[in-house]
Amino acid sequence: MDPLAVTLEHHHFTYGWLNPAMGLAFAAAGSYLGLSASRYARAAATRGSRLRWILMASLAIGGIGIWMMHFIAMIGFTVTGADIAYDPALTALSFGLAVLAVGTGLSVSGGRRAGWPRLLLGGLLCGAGVVGMHYTGMAAVATGGRVVYDPVLVAASAAVAVVASTVALRFTAVVDRRGSMALASAVMSVAVVGMHYTGMAAVEVEGPARGDIAGISPLILLLPILLLALIAIVGMVFGVLASPNLDGADRNDRPSATVRLADAAGQ
């Protein structure tokens, strides 16, 4: 550590509980939509239909439930006496990593009948991707100072991510009723928020702060990203509502006639 460096005061709750509450809401919405899509992926009669539902689940859980929660919470991160700017390329990369992490985890872990080794491998890969998303998103943030991390808390955030990912993947494989999906999405959203703030607790910013930071103000990025997220949520809701009702479907993952008909119509 540079002996001339000073620790800059920073805050994670600049706007009070607004950002955590909004982040939790996005995490819950994304988790619920992702669990809904996972039900249809399990019931799909064709490979193409299953892949489409897995992609929707990945976008819902990874893009809305995890990444949007991260971005909304990051808006509350400020450094006293310094500006904050975001690198748009790294910000976009962090979004892609979140979606890819969930998609990989869903593909590897398999469905209801898959064994624990596949589930644990899927949880490990998904958790590693979520950690990569978080710290890539942090790398996108220019604070005017140097961001350093407490390695113990970084390791703790990684452990939370892996455990939360494994639990989430298990939920996507077995949860098939609206009531249980609501409970599961609540558990998943709390885990996502907990992982984020565990990772943020590891952050320190060293100065002196520079004034020449490059990037885009987070408040400028906020409106278009919120708009895109809301459009995505509405589109996924209508996509799920337009699909056959699975509440009466067979519990053994055999697709019903209505699901097979819907799959055939989508080809």
Side-chain angles (χ1 to χ4, degrees):
M1 178 176 177
D2 185 348
L4 299 179
V6 296
T7 300
L8 300 178
E9 182 180 4
H10 63 279
H11 306 277
H12 299 297
F13 304 98
T14 301
Y15 306 105
W17 288 100
L18 176 63
N19 297 93
M22 286 183 63
L24 186 65
F26 273 106
S31 297
Y32 190 88
L33 287 170
L35 291 172
S36 298
S38 296
R39 294 175 73 203
Y40 286 100
R42 296 198 304 271
T46 66
R47 181 179 177 84
S49 179
R50 181 173 182 273
L51 288 176
R52 285 196 298 274
W53 284 112
I54 287 179
L55 176 59
M56 182 181 288
S58 302
L59 288 169
I61 297 174
I64 296 172
I66 296 175
W67 188 84
M68 272 303 296
M69 184 276 136
H70 165 85
F71 182 80
I72 291 294
M74 285 302 301
I75 299 296
F77 173 70
T78 58
V79 179
T80 302
D83 293 327
I84 296 285
Y86 281 52
D87 180 320
L90 286 176
T91 300
L93 176 59
S94 69
F95 171 84
L97 285 173
V99 176
L100 180 61
V102 176
T104 301
L106 287 171
S107 299
V108 170
S109 63
R112 186 192 301 265
R113 298 185 184 92
W116 281 98
R118 288 185 63 180
L119 175 64
L120 294 175
L121 177 59
L124 181 61
L125 293 174
C126 183
V130 170
V131 171
M133 176 282 300
H134 177 83
Y135 290 103
T136 300
M138 283 301 300
V141 180
T143 63
R146 187 170 76 96
V147 176
V148 296
Y149 297 96
D150 181 328
V152 174
L153 288 174
V154 169
S157 70
V160 171
V162 170
V163 172
S165 296
T166 304
V167 171
L169 292 175
R170 184 59 179 167
F171 282 153
T172 63
V174 300
V175 172
D176 57 6
R177 295 290 174 179
R178 288 194 175 93
S180 53
M181 282 198 302
L183 178 60
S185 62
V187 173
M188 289 166 65
S189 59
V190 170
V192 170
V193 172
M195 181 270 160
H196 175 82
Y197 283 107
T198 301
M200 292 307 293
V203 170
E204 285 192 359
V205 184
E206 295 180 350
R210 303 185 311 275
D212 56 337
I213 60 172
I216 301 175
S217 167
L219 295 179
I220 293 177
L221 286 175
L222 179 61
L223 184 58
I225 288 177
L226 271 178
L227 183 60
L228 288 173
L230 292 174
I231 291 173
I233 288 174
V234 171
M236 289 181 191
V237 168
F238 277 100
V240 170
L241 290 177
S243 300
N245 190 336
L246 294 181
D247 284 345
D250 187 272
R251 289 299 195 94
N252 293 321
D253 285 351
R254 292 195 300 267
S256 66
T258 54
V259 172
R260 290 196 299 270
L261 182 61
D263 288 342
Q267 300 304 309

